[in-house]
Amino acid sequence: MCGIVGIVAKSHVNQSIYDALTILQHRGQDAAGIVTWHNDKLFLRKDNGLVSDVFRTRHMKRLVGHIGIGHVRYPTAGSSSSAEAQPFYVNSPYGITLAHNGNLTNAAEVAEHLYKEDLRHINTTSDSEVLLNVFAHEMQKQGELIPTPESIFKAIARVHQRIRGGYSVVAMINGFGLVAFRDPNGIRPAVFGVREREHGKEYMVASESVALDGLGFKLVRDIAPGECIVITKEGEFFSQQCAEDPKLVPCIFEHVYFARPDSIMDGISVYKARLKMGEYLAGKIMKERPDHDIDVVIPIPDTSRTSALQLANRLGVKYREGFMKNRYIGRTFIMPGQQQRKKSVKQKLNAIALEFAGKNVLLVDDSIVRGTTCNQIIEMAREAGAKNVYFASAAPEVRYPNVYGIDMPAVEELIAHDRTVAEIETAIGADWLIYQDLEDLQRSCLNGASTEVQEFDCSVFDAQYVTGDIDEAYFERLRVARSDASKSSANSAEDVAIDLHNDQE
């Protein structure tokens, strides 16, 4: 999962893009990048690390211009190499730079075609570079010295035909303006907004509406599935549907875990959805355990707080904050390696013994993926004196990998793979385990929302992959790319390359 932003303004955008990326930092902590346009030149800064680490005053001073795009990244496969930090750039045609959130499911096939037919070389393992080169090639085929909105729409229509998967994209064409588009199923999110200024309208595209809020932009709407929007350097706005058969099927895991609760996606309030998750989960607990002996409900911070609070209210049980979080440690789900995840849990969380001692505690988390984190947290609760430790997941069992841009591991690394709930309960060390039902999760997101969404991508729960191109061969390639052993090996090689590069400097 990554975060993207693009701004067309009347003044320099470097600070605004920086601020937007800090707001979207929860979507990726592996790398960050910004590119701006000024006087027919592109100015780029990107590197591994948090936004605050990558950009210093000297970098910001060089990022001049009133148009720009930005990206925060975490790796969905392979290494966390600085060579794969975004945005990416190609000089032909025009000079195009692009940032991407998502994953192409036919990236290998398209990369081969780019080399053999389009004579384009891909220099990294990133599917974002593949996507950029497809877009650049289709723009080149338009044969125009100066691009137009019409030629861009034609090129994007061809992009949709050539690639598959989940993707939201911001791109910048040198001397022309900003382009943004979303996959034909709307799997990955993208919104745009406007800000009125003395000299006219300013436009912003971002992964989440919360980034617009933070910069004073008014949310206009989500970019529709398959739609492309174009904003020229003069501030002219154009949009067109570029997909043949678009259908809105957004990723439900955005509402479970990734998105900030103060965001609105496809007309759905993430906060309200998480409240409903807690409500439905409480209903299931009362049905299955009407005589439960839960003394206190404690969330595992931060994402599960909203659901846990509503769950406690519905059960009529005390809600308490039992874990204090070190906010200077990154999200463990995003860390590229199981050993690093294991090491970080106790660095990140500390139990308040007062809230656990002698009590039957219900811990609430947004989901359970590998089970490693919740296993250690349950141990911490017992060490703090809990009599019994129950565990509730606001999402159903994660049994299948995500192929549309979320770094869920190879299937055998998922704790729910080939296990019953009772077996998972034993594996994580809980006295009792309960999962949300998938139907209730979907109801949570749709309940009372003013949205065009009728169904979600729930593939991590039900293996129904909306693009229809996922088979066992694909899973095997994914297993190799996403296994912790593969990432460890790739990261080790990258460390050597970085050391050699620094020696030369």
Side-chain angles (χ1 to χ4, degrees):
M1 191 63 60
C2 301
I4 59 171
V5 60
I7 298 178
V8 177
K10 303 299 180 182
S11 57
H12 292 300
V13 296
N14 50 359
Q15 187 63 53
S16 292
I17 295 177
Y18 177 96
D19 293 342
L21 292 181
T22 60
I23 294 171
L24 296 173
Q25 187 77 85
H26 60 284
R27 299 187 68 85
Q29 295 142 34
D30 180 67
I34 294 175
V35 59
T36 59
W37 174 85
H38 183 66
N39 287 342
D40 291 328
K41 291 188 183 297
L42 296 171
F43 301 87
L44 171 66
R45 166 63 182 170
K46 61 178 181 176
D47 202 355
N48 276 12
L50 300 176
V51 175
S52 58
D53 297 324
V54 171
F55 302 102
R56 302 295 186 182
T57 302
R58 65 184 184 276
H59 305 127
M60 298 297 286
K61 286 181 177 179
R62 290 199 295 266
L63 293 169
V64 294
H66 70 277
I67 305 176
I69 63 175
H71 186 266
V72 288
R73 173 186 185 265
Y74 88 90
T76 53
S79 72
S80 55
S81 165
S82 59
E84 298 192 5
Q86 298 184 40
F88 283 112
Y89 168 76
V90 290
N91 64 359
S92 178
Y94 315 118
I96 302 174
T97 183
L98 175 147
H100 160 228
N101 170 33
N103 185 59
L104 307 187
T105 56
N106 64 337
E109 170 191 332
V110 175
E112 183 178 5
H113 190 272
L114 280 167
Y115 178 71
K116 292 182 176 179
E117 303 294 331
D118 301 343
L119 307 182
R120 286 180 172 266
H121 172 67
I122 304 302
N123 200 48
T124 71
T125 60
S126 173
D127 61 342
S128 303
E129 190 186 9
V130 172
L131 200 161
L132 169 59
N133 276 274
V134 172
F135 176 44
H137 182 74
E138 296 302 331
M139 285 299 301
Q140 193 155 350
K141 284 172 63 178
Q142 301 304 311
E144 295 186 346
L145 181 61
I146 300 174
T148 64
E150 291 73 23
S151 65
I152 293 170
F153 294 144
K154 289 179 182 178
I156 296 302
R158 282 289 299 144
V159 170
H160 287 323
Q161 291 170 13
R162 291 183 65 177
I163 66 175
R164 296 189 299 271
Y167 50 92
S168 58
V169 177
V170 288
M172 190 165 56
I173 301 176
N174 179 45
F176 178 80
L178 186 74
V179 179
F181 56 97
R182 193 176 178 193
D183 68 80
N185 293 296
I187 298 171
R188 299 269 67 89
V191 297
F192 74 92
V194 297
R195 184 171 67 182
E196 298 288 347
R197 283 293 185 259
E198 183 180 347
H199 301 293
K201 286 183 179 179
E202 298 180 336
Y203 289 90
M204 177 175 173
V205 177
S207 294
E208 296 185 34
S209 63
V210 66
L212 306 183
D213 299 338
L215 274 73
F217 283 80
K218 182 180 178 181
L219 173 64
V220 175
R221 60 177 173 83
D222 297 84
I223 296 176
E227 182 185 19
C228 174
I229 67 172
V230 171
I231 305 161
T232 68
K233 62 181 186 293
E234 293 82 16
E236 299 174 287
F237 179 90
F238 303 88
S239 69
Q240 185 170 301
Q241 177 55 252
C242 298
E244 294 176 355
D245 187 25
K247 184 179 182 181
L248 184 56
V249 191
C251 174
I252 203 166
F253 217 77
E254 289 278 356
H255 297 279
V256 171
Y257 176 81
F258 271 104
R260 269 182 41 166
D262 42 346
S263 284
I264 296 173
M265 292 181 161
D266 297 303
I268 299 169
S269 164
V270 178
Y271 176 75
K272 286 185 178 179
R274 289 178 184 168
L275 282 176
K276 284 294 182 181
M277 290 176 206
E279 196 170 310
Y280 280 115
L281 192 52
K284 185 175 181 181
I285 290 172
M286 289 189 290
K287 181 180 178 181
E288 292 192 3
R289 288 209 168 187
D291 299 322
H292 69 79
D293 58 352
I294 301 167
D295 296 316
V296 61
V297 172
I298 294 177
I300 297 172
D302 287 313
T303 323
S304 63
R305 280 199 173 104
T306 308
S307 298
L309 180 59
Q310 189 71 353
L311 184 151
N313 287 338
R314 179 82 188 275
L315 290 180
V317 173
K318 290 179 182 179
Y319 170 92
R320 291 289 186 269
E321 293 286 344
F323 294 104
M324 291 297 104
K325 184 177 181 181
N326 179 351
R327 302 189 180 282
Y328 301 97
I329 301 291
R331 297 176 90 169
T332 53
F333 179 83
I334 290 175
M335 290 182 180
Q338 186 72 351
Q339 290 302 116
Q340 194 174 351
R341 278 187 293 271
K342 286 181 178 179
K343 181 180 178 182
S344 73
V345 176
K346 287 196 175 182
Q347 293 175 345
K348 186 167 89 167
L349 294 177
N350 189 46
I352 301 174
L354 178 67
E355 298 296 351
F356 292 91
K359 298 177 183 177
N360 296 321
V361 178
L362 175 64
L363 302 180
V364 180
D365 207 352
D366 50 74
S367 58
I368 304 172
V369 182
R370 294 172 177 86
T372 307
T373 299
C374 61
N375 179 269
Q376 292 181 69
I377 289 172
I378 289 169
E379 287 180 10
M380 291 169 64
R382 295 196 191 283
E383 290 169 2
K387 184 164 59 175
N388 287 296
V389 182
Y390 310 133
F391 205 96
S393 169
E397 302 96 298
V398 176
R399 296 189 180 277
Y400 309 97
N402 182 280
V403 301
Y404 301 126
I406 300 177
D407 186 25
M408 287 187 176
V411 66
E412 63 269 15
E413 295 177 20
L414 297 168
I415 195 166
H417 175 63
D418 278 348
R419 282 191 176 102
T420 65
V421 173
E423 289 170 338
I424 301 167
E425 179 181 284
T426 300
I428 66 173
D431 294 301
W432 178 54
L433 171 65
I434 189 165
Y435 280 99
Q436 184 86 266
D437 290 333
L438 181 55
E439 294 77 11
D440 286 341
L441 176 61
Q442 293 169 319
R443 291 189 193 103
S444 298
C445 297
L446 295 175
N447 199 311
S450 177
T451 180
E452 296 180 8
V453 177
Q454 294 184 347
E455 61 180 293
F456 293 94
D457 168 57
C458 301
S459 53
V460 297
F461 308 121
D462 62 9
Q464 300 299 307
Y465 295 96
V466 66
T467 53
D469 58 339
I470 307 304
D471 55 20
E472 286 304 317
Y474 183 89
F475 281 133
E476 177 58 24
R477 293 194 298 272
L478 196 70
R479 184 193 67 77
V480 173
R482 289 189 177 176
S483 68
D484 282 328
S486 171
K487 289 183 178 181
S488 176
S489 173
N491 287 334
S492 296
E494 175 63 16
D495 289 342
V496 172
I498 289 171
D499 288 343
L500 290 172
H501 181 66
N502 288 340
D503 286 345
Q504 291 172 352
E505 291 181 344

